[in-house]
Amino acid sequence: MIDRINRFMRQVPTWPLYVAAVIPPVWYFYAGVTGQLGVDPVKSMEHKIGLLGLQVLIASLCVTPLRRYAGLNLLKFRRALGLIGFFYIFLHLLVWVVLDVQIFSQIISDIYKRPYITIGMGAFVLMIPLAATSYNAAIRKLGRNWRKLHKLVYPAVLLGGVHFVMLRKGWQIEPLLYLAAVVALLLLRVPVRQKITRWMSRESA
């Protein structure tokens, strides 16, 4: 069954993902303009697009564990998911800057004074070099360093999860579940041999 799925997925192009990625933000903008996003459409649009970005980035983190533990090979879609996630986070930031705060001095002040914004901005900054080098020429030029550079996605998504938890204020279930999912997916990337070695060293200490 997995082999059939893998064979089928090898024939599926990645470009439909990019086309489909444009639909949600366009819909949110339309819904906001037509009064379908409640009393504060800007905030609602900002949060929905940001959450969508986090969801897509979490989906990109699922690719390796699915291949390692289930044999499902979706590696060809990982770059697209990463770029789409960055696109949504960029739009999330753009809505905050252009439609929400608008005043440049206030934007700078919020980045320095509000920890959840500082953390969110840190996550975005970590993603910039990833998006900037996600094309074939950069991959060839960077060689093995490309893989090392793109490990920045791990702290970026983790900071994104923390940003979501802090944004909601208080210990709400939904953002905690997202953060737990990120942590679990990162832990799954630790090789099993290393886990066993560390456990045995603790037991013998």
Side-chain angles (χ1 to χ4, degrees):
M1 182 63 179
I2 292 296
D3 290 337
R4 290 182 186 176
I5 295 174
N6 287 338
R7 284 196 297 271
F8 173 75
M9 296 309 291
R10 281 196 291 268
Q11 300 173 13
V12 176
T14 58
W15 65 262
L17 285 177
Y18 295 105
V19 175
V22 179
I23 298 174
V26 170
W27 163 251
Y28 290 144
F29 181 78
Y30 171 78
V33 170
T34 55
Q36 300 179 53
L37 291 181
V39 295
D40 194 345
V42 170
K43 278 292 184 187
S44 182
M45 190 190 321
E46 179 185 325
H47 292 164
K48 286 179 181 296
I49 294 175
L51 180 58
L52 192 58
L54 181 60
Q55 290 169 344
V56 173
L57 290 174
I58 290 174
S60 73
L61 290 183
C62 291
V63 172
T64 296
L66 283 174
R67 183 169 179 258
R68 181 179 295 170
Y69 298 106
L72 184 61
N73 191 350
L74 302 175
L75 285 175
K76 65 179 291 185
F77 302 104
R78 185 166 58 184
R79 189 195 314 185
L81 290 172
L83 288 171
I84 291 168
F86 176 80
F87 170 63
Y88 288 148
I89 299 302
F90 173 74
L91 290 181
H92 168 70
L93 176 62
L94 194 64
V95 171
W96 176 68
V97 169
V98 176
L99 300 180
D100 189 356
V101 184
Q102 298 182 340
I103 303 170
F104 181 75
S105 60
Q106 183 62 48
I107 293 168
I108 300 300
S109 176
D110 283 351
I111 292 173
Y112 280 102
K113 293 182 179 180
R114 298 189 179 185
Y116 76 92
I117 295 180
T118 307
I119 290 173
M121 190 61 66
F124 176 72
V125 169
L126 287 175
M127 292 181 64
I128 292 174
L130 308 185
T133 57
S134 289
Y135 59 97
N136 292 335
I139 295 172
R140 288 193 297 269
K141 186 174 182 179
L142 289 170
R144 293 182 180 180
N145 291 326
W146 184 85
R147 290 184 178 275
K148 295 178 181 179
L149 176 65
H150 276 247
K151 287 182 179 180
L152 286 175
V153 70
Y154 306 149
V157 181
L158 183 60
L159 288 175
V162 174
H163 168 75
F164 186 28
V165 171
M166 296 178 70
L167 175 67
R168 285 294 181 90
K169 298 182 176 63
W171 300 102
Q172 297 188 29
I173 295 297
E174 183 187 14
L176 288 174
L177 288 176
Y178 276 93
L179 182 57
V182 172
V183 171
L185 287 168
L186 294 181
L187 288 175
L188 283 174
R189 306 181 101 81
V190 178
V192 175
R193 187 179 299 175
Q194 290 185 18
K195 292 180 183 179
I196 295 174
T197 302
R198 290 173 184 172
W199 177 79
M200 291 179 66
S201 63
R202 286 198 302 266
E203 289 294 312
S204 59

